[in-house]
C-alpha cells in the first residue's frame, strides 16, 4: 500500500453559504490522525489556500498526505479545516469529525465573536 495519498473535496458552510471573503483570508485544510485518544493529533498533510476578495463557498482543495506518519492501525484519519483573516482571527472551523474519503465535503461553521454572543444572549 502506497503511503502517499491524495485528498480532494470542497469546504462548504451550510449556514453561511453567501459569505464573501476578503483578500488575504486563509483557508487551512489538514489531514490528521485523530486516533490517539490521550495525545495531540498528528498532521499527515495540509494545504493553505489564499482566498480572493469576494470569494464564496464552496472552496475546492486537493493535496497529498503521508499515511505512513499515522499511528499503526489508525482508524480515525480525518479532514480538518479552518479559515482565518489576515490578522489570524479565526472566522470558520469544522465542528464535526469528517473522515477522509474521495471528494470529501467539509462543513465549516462561523466562529462567533464575544460581541456576537452577547448580542444573541440579550435577544433571548
Amino acid at each position: 500500500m502506497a503511503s502517499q495519498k491524495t485528498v480532494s473535496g470542497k469546504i462548504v458552510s451550510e449556514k453561511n453559504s453567501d459569505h464573501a471573503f476578503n483578500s488575504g483570508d486563509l483557508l487551512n485544510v489538514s489531514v490528521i490522525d485523530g486516533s490517539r485518544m490521550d495525545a495531540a493529533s498528528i498532521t499527515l498533510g495540509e494545504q493553505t489556500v489564499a482566498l480572493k476578495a469576494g470569494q464564496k463557498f464552496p472552496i475546492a482543495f486537493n493535496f497529498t498526505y503521508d499515511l505512513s506518519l499515522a499511528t499503526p492501525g489508525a482508524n480515525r484519519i480525518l479532514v480538518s479545516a479552518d479559515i482565518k483573516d489576515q490578522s489570524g482571527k479565526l472566522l470558520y472551523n469544522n465542528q464535526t469529525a469528517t473522515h477522509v474519503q474521495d471528494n470529501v465535503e467539509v462543513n465549516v461553521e462561523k466562529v462567533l465573536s464575544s460581541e456576537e454572543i452577547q448580542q444573541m444572549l440579550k435577544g433571548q
Side-chain angles (χ1 to χ4, degrees), residues 22-67:
N22 295 314
S23 178
D25 289 349
L26 294 175
L27 163 66
N28 186 288
V29 185
S30 303
V31 172
I32 60 171
D33 172 359
S35 63
R36 298 165 22 127
M37 296 300 172
D38 294 332
S41 60
I42 299 170
T43 300
L44 308 178
E46 63 185 331
Q47 179 182 35
T48 299
V49 177
L51 303 179
K52 298 176 181 145
Q55 186 170 354
K56 295 183 178 186
F57 295 107
I59 306 166
F61 64 89
N62 182 306
F63 63 97
T64 59
Y65 63 97
D66 188 350
L67 197 54

Side-chain angles (χ1 to χ4, degrees), residues 3-4 41 50 98 100:
S3 63
Q4 292 291 316
S41 60
T98 305
V100 170

Side-chain angles (χ1 to χ4, degrees), residues 9-116:
K10 60 186 175 180
I11 306 299
V12 300
S13 182
E14 294 171 0
K15 295 179 182 174
N16 299 93
S17 60
D18 289 336
H19 179 94
F21 291 98
N22 295 314
S23 178
D25 289 349
L26 294 175
L27 163 66
N28 186 288
V29 185
S30 303
V31 172
I32 60 171
D33 172 359
S35 63
R36 298 165 22 127
M37 296 300 172
D38 294 332
S41 60
I42 299 170
T43 300
L44 308 178
E46 63 185 331
Q47 179 182 35
T48 299
V49 177
L51 303 179
K52 298 176 181 145
Q55 186 170 354
K56 295 183 178 186
F57 295 107
I59 306 166
F61 64 89
N62 182 306
F63 63 97
T64 59
Y65 63 97
D66 188 350
L67 197 54
S68 71
L69 298 174
T71 304
N75 59 358
R76 288 181 48 88
I77 305 301
L78 307 172
V79 181
S80 176
D82 64 54
I83 300 172
K84 295 180 180 176
D85 70 11
Q86 290 179 346
S87 70
K89 178 184 173 192
L90 184 62
L91 303 173
Y92 287 86
N93 68 350
N94 66 310
Q95 301 288 318
T96 58
T98 305
H99 291 270
V100 170
Q101 59 184 324
D102 290 337
N103 296 313
V104 65
E105 187 173 283
V106 181
N107 183 51
V108 294
E109 296 182 20
K110 185 176 188 221
V111 175
L112 298 178
S113 68
S114 58
E115 293 84 15
E116 290 170 315

